[in-house]
């Protein structure tokens, strides 16, 4: 009986000691538990994907893989934006939802669409309002969820008589941003000469701009919503001509960009789909490239006005 009582007392003392230790070291235990949970979460962060045969696959969204997908992306600022969109796309695919970006610049848009080709579980739709749009919004999601074009862009017409005081692209841009909106919520500005301009915006800004945008520079203006089908843009035409010597000078002066990246040395190889911009001349898209039996090349050039 005494032995049993002694054993029971020892057990109670050990239990109290363990409780006291746990209380005094609770912050350490919680930290270790959180660290263990973090490690467990990071090591099992996966994205469910769907192949063409409908078989579910698992793609680990780990940092190393993200860096591998971003390999080849040039500028650091572009890489940062593409990485953010990539993470958003995988989150959308995992949760089977559709997410949208704001308007992206051409370099970011180009790099992201190239990265997207490496992912089987993500679908993206780019919308800018018209075929030649430079700034576009991207909708991302699982292919089964993103079945049609989401309604994420709207068009506005800024009108009045601009005949005696023509306004430039910068004038319209400055007046629009002067209302307090951020650049990422504004897409392309399509100049309409003396009639004003048409702009692409996110839908939630339509009412705001219609009530606040009343002047462009010193010209009173009115802003009304129009359907996207009413956008009046110039279709592409034949390419422009610049002499070889003149083009070399323009390259040296930093007036030439390929895919919106400045080119400073001659001899850059172009491929189908590249966009060539020349200051003061506009921009060209390289179309089909065909070679003849004599080793010469026939290149289709499309100029955007």
């Amino acid at each position: 009986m005494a032995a049993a009582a002694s054993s029971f007392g020892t057990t109670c003392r050990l239990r109290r000691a363990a409780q006291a230790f746990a209380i005094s070291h609770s912050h350490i235990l919680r930290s270790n538990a959180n660290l263990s949970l973090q490690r467990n979460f990071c090591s099992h962060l996966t994205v469910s994907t769907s192949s063409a045969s409908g078989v579910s696959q698992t793609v680990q969204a780990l940092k190393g893989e993200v860096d591998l997908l971003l390999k080849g992306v040039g500028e650091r600022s572009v890489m940062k934006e593409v990485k953010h969109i990539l993470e958003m796309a995988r989150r959308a695919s995992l949760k089977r939802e559709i997410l949208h970006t704001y308007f992206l610049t051409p370099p970011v848009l180009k790099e992201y669409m190239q990265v997207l080709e490496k992912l089987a579980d993500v679908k993206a739709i780019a919308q800018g309002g018209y075929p030649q749009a430079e700034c576009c919004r991207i909708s991302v999601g699982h292919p089964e969820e993103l079945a049609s074009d989401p309604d994420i862009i709207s068009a506005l017409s800024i009108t009045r008589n601009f005949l005696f005081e023509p306004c430039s692209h910068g004038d319209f841009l400055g007046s629009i941003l002067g209302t307090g909106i951020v650049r990422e919520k504004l897409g392309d500005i399509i100049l309409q000469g003396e009639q004003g301009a048409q702009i692409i915006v996110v839908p939630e800004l339509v009412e705001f701009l219609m009530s606040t945008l009343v002047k462009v520079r010193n010209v009173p203006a009115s802003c009304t919503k129009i359907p996207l089908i009413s956008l009046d843009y110039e279709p592409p035409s034949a390419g422009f001509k610049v002499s070889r010597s003149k083009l070399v000078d323009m390259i040296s002066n930093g007036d030439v960009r390929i895919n919106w990246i400045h080119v400073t040395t001659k001899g850059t190889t172009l491929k189908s789909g590249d966009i060539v911009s020349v200051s003061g001349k506009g921009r060209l898209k390289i179309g089909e490239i065909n070679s003849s039996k004599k080793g010469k090349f026939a290149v289709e050039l499309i100029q955007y006005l």
Side-chain angles (χ1 to χ4, degrees), residues 114-133:
Q114 289 181 346
V115 170
L116 179 67
E117 296 176 356
K118 306 173 186 178
L119 300 176
D121 61 323
V122 177
K123 179 181 178 181
I125 295 177
Q127 298 184 76
Y130 63 107
Q132 287 83 44

Side-chain angles (χ1 to χ4, degrees), residues 172-194:
F172 283 98
L173 177 61
S175 297
I176 296 168
L177 298 183
T179 63
I181 72 171
V182 295
R183 184 63 179 91
E184 291 78 12
K185 295 186 179 182
L186 171 66
D188 283 8
I189 299 174
I190 308 172
L191 298 180
Q192 302 294 306
E194 63 185 54

